[in-house]
Amino acid sequence: MTFPPYRSRYLPAMTLRQIRALPDKAWAPVILATGAIEQHGPHLPVAVDALMGQVWLARALARLPAGASCYVAPPVTIGKSNEHTGFPGTLMISRETLRQHILAVARQVHAWGFRSLAVINTHGGNVPVIVPTLREIRAALGMRAGLLQARQADGISAQEATFGIHAGEVETSWILAAAERLTDMSKAECEYPAKLDDPGEVRPVAAPALVAWASRDVSLSGIMGDAAAATAEKGERWIERGSADLAEAIMEVCRIGKAGQP
Ligand SMILES: [Zn+2]
């Protein structure tokens, strides 16, 4: 089996001569997956976020028309996960290390001739670092830099949509669809950090005032959501829909880049 499945677009699999000769560097985005290795409850592997980056890449890139211009940088698998300290299995880097890592990738691919960077992020805790860093890349290097995003999962309850924020129905369904043998559904449970009609004192989302929470404050199991409601069928449907969104977003970045050419 070829690994990764998008090897023809994977920059580390190319020789320096191949990279030098790429004809579309002025508009083709370099895609960087940013994930995390952190506790995901008793039923999912700690690599969920890092693994999902690979699933999105493989599935979205497989949908692109042949010859579509885009390339892939080596992923950032460890993220800013200080909200999950106190559980075994969480690895993390600091905000500053994550920022410097993304900046370093941008600076170097810019030096090779690339002018567009697109991030597929699978860990919410990275977002407050990634967004200002992409702006820095735009300001300092003049590169196009943006986040590729897919629609939220459809057909979930209001309770899950609001408080199913970690290792719940959606993430568990994704992993059941993508890597079932890494799951243990006998340990999947429903644990919400708050109820819609009774949010309690610590509200990780939808709080009237922002609360700096750690998952150990709001979850005993590490799950925040209804993991027991997950199925492989739902996961497959959400991955299909999400990867179609991401493929469309990649083509849009290509179109914008190409249109900006002299
Ligand atoms: Zn996750």
Side-chain angles (χ1 to χ4, degrees):
M1 178 187 133
T2 306
F3 183 85
Y6 48 82
R7 188 190 281 179
S8 64
R9 301 178 183 282
Y10 192 46
L11 291 166
M14 297 180 195
T15 66
L16 66 92
R17 294 176 71 129
Q18 285 170 320
I19 292 174
R20 189 180 287 141
L22 294 173
D24 44 10
K25 285 183 278 200
W27 68 82
V30 172
I31 302 176
L32 176 66
T34 54
I37 308 274
E38 60 184 28
Q39 75 80 19
H40 271 80
H43 66 303
L44 293 179
V46 294
V48 165
D49 297 353
L51 178 65
M52 281 311 299
Q54 294 305 301
V55 173
W56 292 124
L57 276 172
R59 298 281 286 260
L61 296 177
R63 288 173 162 271
L64 295 184
S69 292
C70 86
Y71 300 95
V72 183
V76 180
T77 53
I78 301 179
K80 187 209 72 65
S81 297
N82 53 353
E83 64 273 30
H84 292 288
T85 50
F87 290 91
T90 299
L91 293 175
M92 73 190 87
I93 54 177
S94 68
R95 278 183 303 171
E96 185 52 24
T97 303
L98 180 59
R99 169 180 167 265
Q100 290 292 354
H101 189 130
I102 297 169
L103 284 175
V105 171
R107 245 183 256 119
Q108 286 148 44
V109 298
H110 179 269
W112 303 348
F114 285 104
R115 295 295 177 264
S116 176
L117 184 78
V119 171
I120 291 182
N121 176 57
T122 51
H123 171 53
N126 290 340
V127 175
V129 181
I130 293 170
V131 171
T133 305
L134 293 177
R135 200 168 299 269
E136 249 186 291
I137 290 167
R138 176 68 185 157
L141 299 171
M143 291 179 81
R144 293 178 197 286
L147 269 172
L148 301 173
Q149 306 210 68
R151 275 169 293 177
Q152 301 293 317
D154 62 318
I156 55 175
S157 68
Q159 170 69 31
E160 185 71 14
T162 308
F163 290 113
I165 53 178
H166 186 75
E169 184 178 352
V170 175
E171 280 190 316
T172 304
S173 295
W174 285 344
I175 301 300
L176 281 174
E180 187 176 8
R181 70 198 149 80
L182 302 182
T183 66
D184 179 359
M185 286 304 283
S186 71
K187 306 266 190 329
E189 53 183 280
C190 177
E191 182 179 356
Y192 284 113
K195 291 273 159 54
L196 270 184
D197 54 357
D198 177 19
E201 286 178 20
V202 181
R203 281 161 276 186
V205 286
L210 272 179
V211 179
W213 56 276
S215 49
R216 63 176 183 268
D217 299 329
V218 293
S219 175
L220 287 173
S221 64
I223 294 170
M224 286 168 254
D226 189 359
T231 68
E233 292 69 30
K234 290 184 214 174
E236 182 56 34
R237 184 162 55 82
W238 291 330
I239 290 173
E240 261 313 277
R241 214 177 65 130
S243 51
D245 289 347
L246 291 171
E248 182 48 44
I250 293 166
M251 293 311 294
E252 183 64 17
V253 170
C254 288
R255 275 193 289 274
I256 293 168
K258 230 171 176 171
Q261 289 308 295

